[in-house]
Amino acid sequence: MIETKINEGYIVAGIKESDRLTAAVADEVKSELSSIVGGDNGKVVLNLSNIQFIDSTGIGVLISALKTARQNETLFLLCSIQKDVMSLLSLMKLDKVFEIREDESSL
């Protein structure tokens, strides 16, 4: 479900096979993302360019990944966030919690 690549020393993870981060895919995404940020990878970016919708369970997945990253001293960023998803993150004040980049080129 998560595809990774290396860009400028960052592991860039992207959610494939779905344009929604919801309860339907949350367990699989959380498990795979935890493995990535829980390792000694140093810098991880989650590219949300194809995510059109996120629900409360999806928000929980992002917060869990951030918590795991911090426990493992891994930098965790979000990038390429669609307008509607960004509006939700801003409404919940999570734009102040997560480090967010416009896109991968700004790493």
Side-chain angles (χ1 to χ4, degrees):
M1 175 128 282
I2 292 189
E3 183 176 273
T4 61
K5 64 182 180 181
I6 304 292
N7 182 0
E8 301 290 329
Y10 287 80
I11 293 179
V12 180
I15 300 169
K16 301 298 175 199
E17 303 166 25
S18 179
D19 65 350
R20 303 166 67 82
L21 182 50
T22 62
V25 298
D27 287 341
E28 186 176 356
V29 171
K30 182 178 180 179
S31 175
E32 291 182 32
L33 200 51
S34 290
S35 295
I36 295 166
V37 298
D40 59 353
N41 294 316
K43 299 185 282 188
V44 178
V45 178
L46 181 59
N47 183 321
L48 296 173
S49 61
N50 67 319
I51 300 300
Q52 303 292 323
F53 178 80
I54 188 168
D55 68 4
S56 60
T57 307
I59 294 289
V61 167
L62 297 179
I63 292 170
S64 176
L66 179 62
K67 182 179 176 185
T68 301
R70 286 180 175 169
Q71 289 170 344
N72 290 283
E73 299 180 4
T74 298
L75 178 63
F76 181 66
L77 313 171
L78 302 177
C79 79
S80 304
I81 302 172
Q82 296 289 331
K83 183 181 175 196
D84 289 343
V85 174
M86 189 65 210
S87 294
L88 177 64
L89 293 177
S90 296
L91 180 69
M92 298 178 73
K93 305 283 189 226
L94 292 174
D95 58 332
K96 308 288 189 244
V97 175
F98 289 96
E99 188 169 339
I100 298 173
R101 302 288 172 88
E102 190 172 323
D103 55 38
E104 286 182 43
S105 66
S106 62
L107 296 177

